[in-house]
């Protein structure tokens, strides 16, 4: 079994953990282990890419129709005019 040390834990967080542990009839250490175990049970969905995740968030809000930007031939840079 591995051990970890948590530094700079706020006193209010420690107190809440102690109270929650007492309510469950456990030591603070066991309560912290259980919280970490439950928080890490579900693995993140790696199958979706970033674009799919963004689309899933904003799709329920509706879409936006954008006008296509008019395409034009690329112009020469200003410094090239002096060379011609």
């Amino acid at each position: 079994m591995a051990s970890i040390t948590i530094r700079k834990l706020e006193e209010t967080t420690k107190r809440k953990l102690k109270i929650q542990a007492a309510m469950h009839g456990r030591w603070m250490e066991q309560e912290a282990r259980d919280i970490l175990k439950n928080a890490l049970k579900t693995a993140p969905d790696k199958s979706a890419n970033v674009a799919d995740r963004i689309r899933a968030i904003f799709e329920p809000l509706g879409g936006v129709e954008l006008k296509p930007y008019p395409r034009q031939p690329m112009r020469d840079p200003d410094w090239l005019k002096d060379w011609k």
Side-chain angles (χ1 to χ4, degrees), residues 54-72:
I54 292 170
R55 186 175 292 112
I57 292 169
F58 290 103
E59 195 170 38
L61 302 175
V64 175
E65 292 295 324
L66 300 174
K67 295 179 184 176
Y69 192 75
R71 302 188 85 139
Q72 299 173 352

Side-chain angles (χ1 to χ4, degrees), residues 9-80:
L9 185 65
E10 293 180 5
E11 194 60 40
T12 56
T13 303
K14 181 182 173 186
R15 187 175 9 147
K16 288 177 183 179
L17 180 63
K18 193 172 191 176
I19 291 169
Q20 185 171 326
M23 289 171 54
H24 292 143
R26 300 190 265 215
W27 295 99
M28 256 187 359
E29 186 177 325
Q30 179 58 38
E31 188 70 20
R33 273 196 298 267
D34 196 50
I35 290 170
L36 284 171
K37 181 178 158 188
N38 289 332
L40 300 173
K41 265 184 186 174
T42 57
D45 182 18
K46 294 181 181 178
S47 63
N49 63 24
V50 175
D52 291 338
R53 300 284 300 197
I54 292 170
R55 186 175 292 112
I57 292 169
F58 290 103
E59 195 170 38
L61 302 175
V64 175
E65 292 295 324
L66 300 174
K67 295 179 184 176
Y69 192 75
R71 302 188 85 139
Q72 299 173 352
M74 196 163 90
R75 63 180 179 85
D76 290 334
D78 292 335
W79 61 266
L80 190 61

